[in-house]
Amino acid sequence: AVVSTQSTGGPPGVAGEPGKIGRNGIDGIPGRNKVQGMPGKHGVPGLPGIRGSQGDKGKRGNRGRPGTRGLKGEAALDGEYGDWGLAGDLGLQGKDGGDGEVGLCRESCTQEDKTPGCQCDTHILTMHSQSDQIPQCPQHWTSLWAGYSFLLIYENGVSMLQDPGKAGSCMEAFQPSPFLTCDRGEECGKDFRTEKSVWLAAEESEAPMGPIKDIEQAEAHVSRCNVCMGPSAIQTIHSFSPAVPKCPDGFSALWTGYSYLMSVLDDLSMVTPTDSGRAGQGIPTNSPGSCNPVFQTPSFLECLSQGYCSYNRAYSDYWLQVNAQNDTSSNGLPGESVLAEFYDTLNLQYKDKRRENVSRCAVCAKTSKRNGNKRR
């Protein structure tokens, strides 16, 4: 007999483990009605792929079109000098050139200077403006220094004139008493009673002027000057007439003016007429200083050792007078002497006629190799 082991009425057992996935089933039979389903939703973007290896080098491309013109670049730095080239062949003989103009002497002269009329030497010219302005040196001349126009010193009966055409007449500094007196006892000092200095004036003063004690104010009344160095010889000529003379051949005029001979101090003591004396020296007529650009009376300023200056009416000017044979006008002053002494006390009716009776002059500079022995 078979005995049943199944129990009845007991609790369920523990769930077993899931079974293994089974094999794929056989494809089913296609459906009869082929209905297309709805498009599915876009899937989530995939993760970036791994960087691939570098590909092979491609073939050379075709030549591109020319580009547009670029902007102008900045200037390059100067390059180094190249080596000297080889000497070229001798050229053909050129045609003869035309005659050149007469040359001027250069400011600096050398032994190789072949300019006609030029010599390797140096000439000094002193110019006075008769104003408070420094005169300019002529063309091709160089200024050495500028200063104040110094004419004369007087001390205890002794006078000494500085030629206005020389460099000594142009003092670099203005001093009312520019000198000392030294005796044999080796003592030097000043004699305040008799020491005087005379300077070319910068203006015309017909009326007396009171003493000027301020040195800067006095300096404004003194003519300025310039000492010039140049390559040309200088010659001063006088016409003895109211007409300006012409320079000789081979010379040209630097300036024209009035023929000035000398200044004279009439009353040295300035006390009484019986104590008066005279002091003065003449200016060489071949000197540029004998040709003043401006006719002025008085032409100078007196300064005393006490430290003040004034237009001293005790001075007289000597000018070269027009020769009656050369003057065709009828405006002459009384007298036919060659030297005409014009005092400040001349009648006013002759004031405008003074210039007409003074000889004219010209300061000329050599410009060519011509001898200059003839007037134009």
Side-chain angles (χ1 to χ4, degrees):
V2 176
V3 182
S4 176
T5 60
Q6 183 177 2
S7 61
T8 60
V14 180
E17 295 179 0
K20 297 180 180 181
I21 299 175
R23 297 180 181 177
N24 293 334
I26 302 173
D27 294 335
I29 300 172
R32 295 179 181 177
N33 295 326
K34 298 181 179 179
V35 180
Q36 185 174 1
M38 298 296 291
K41 297 181 179 179
H42 290 287
V44 178
L47 297 174
I50 302 173
R51 182 180 181 87
S53 60
Q54 184 174 358
D56 297 334
K57 185 176 181 180
K59 296 181 180 179
R60 183 181 182 87
N62 296 328
R63 183 181 182 86
R65 296 180 179 179
T68 57
R69 185 180 182 86
L71 299 176
K72 184 177 180 180
E74 297 180 356
L77 299 176
D78 294 338
E80 297 180 357
Y81 287 101
D83 298 333
W84 284 97
L86 300 176
D89 297 333
L90 185 64
L92 301 177
Q93 179 67 33
K95 297 180 179 180
D96 294 337
D99 294 336
E101 298 180 356
V102 177
L104 296 174
C105 298
R106 300 184 303 181
E107 294 183 11
S108 60
C109 187
T110 63
Q111 295 295 337
E112 291 76 19
D113 193 346
K114 302 301 182 182
T115 305
C118 293
Q119 298 180 359
C120 292
D121 55 0
T122 300
H123 299 271
I124 302 298
L125 172 67
T126 303
M127 305 177 65
H128 303 271
S129 66
Q130 294 178 269
S131 72
D132 59 357
Q133 300 297 315
I134 297 175
Q136 298 296 316
C137 291
Q139 186 179 11
H140 304 296
W141 292 69
T142 303
S143 175
L144 298 180
W145 71 83
Y148 300 86
S149 303
F150 180 53
L151 279 183
L152 179 73
I153 61 173
Y154 173 83
E155 198 278 325
N156 197 24
V158 178
S159 64
M160 182 179 67
L161 175 76
Q162 295 291 333
D163 181 354
K166 302 296 184 180
S169 66
C170 189
M171 301 282 280
E172 294 186 73
F174 170 72
Q175 300 181 53
S177 182
F179 60 95
L180 291 172
T181 301
C182 298
D183 57 23
R184 294 183 179 181
E186 299 182 356
E187 293 183 0
C188 298
K190 289 183 176 293
D191 187 343
F192 292 101
R193 296 174 302 170
T194 61
E195 289 183 357
K196 308 175 190 291
S197 65
V198 180
W199 305 78
L200 194 65
E203 59 190 7
E204 184 173 2
S205 177
E206 294 291 345
M209 183 181 69
I212 303 175
K213 296 184 179 181
D214 185 82
I215 188 171
E216 293 184 356
Q217 293 182 1
E219 185 178 292
H221 293 273
V222 178
S223 169
R224 301 305 302 272
C225 55
N226 204 341
V227 178
C228 309
M229 178 182 69
S232 303
I234 300 298
Q235 181 61 47
T236 303
I237 57 176
H238 304 269
S239 67
F240 296 92
S241 76
V244 175
K246 294 182 178 180
C247 292
D249 289 343
F251 285 76
S252 62
L254 297 180
W255 73 84
T256 61
Y258 297 85
S259 303
Y260 185 53
L261 294 181
M262 64 177 168
S263 59
V264 173
L265 180 59
D266 294 319
D267 187 357
L268 298 180
S269 64
M270 295 296 293
V271 178
T272 63
T274 58
D275 296 333
S276 64
R278 312 202 95 189
Q281 292 177 341
I283 301 171
T285 53
N286 66 338
S287 167
S290 68
C291 188
N292 277 3
V294 182
F295 177 77
Q296 293 182 171
T297 55
S299 61
F300 34 75
L301 189 74
E302 179 193 66
C303 296
L304 304 180
S305 294
Q306 289 91 330
Y308 62 84
C309 304
S310 65
Y311 287 102
N312 190 340
R313 299 179 63 87
Y315 282 92
S316 297
D317 286 326
Y318 277 79
W319 303 80
L320 195 61
Q321 181 179 329
V322 168
N323 190 334
Q325 297 179 353
N326 297 335
D327 185 12
T328 58
S329 67
S330 59
N331 297 327
L333 292 176
E336 298 295 336
S337 60
V338 176
L339 291 179
E341 182 178 1
F342 294 100
Y343 291 95
D344 294 339
T345 54
L346 283 174
N347 295 331
L348 293 179
Q349 60 178 322
Y350 295 131
K351 176 179 178 181
D352 297 333
K353 298 181 180 180
R354 294 177 183 177
R355 292 180 179 85
E356 300 175 7
N357 290 272
V358 176
S359 170
R360 300 303 302 274
C361 55
V363 177
C364 308
K366 190 172 180 62
T367 57
S368 75
K369 63 181 180 181
R370 296 169 184 167
N371 294 330
N373 53 358
K374 294 182 180 180
R375 299 277 181 90
R376 291 195 184 102

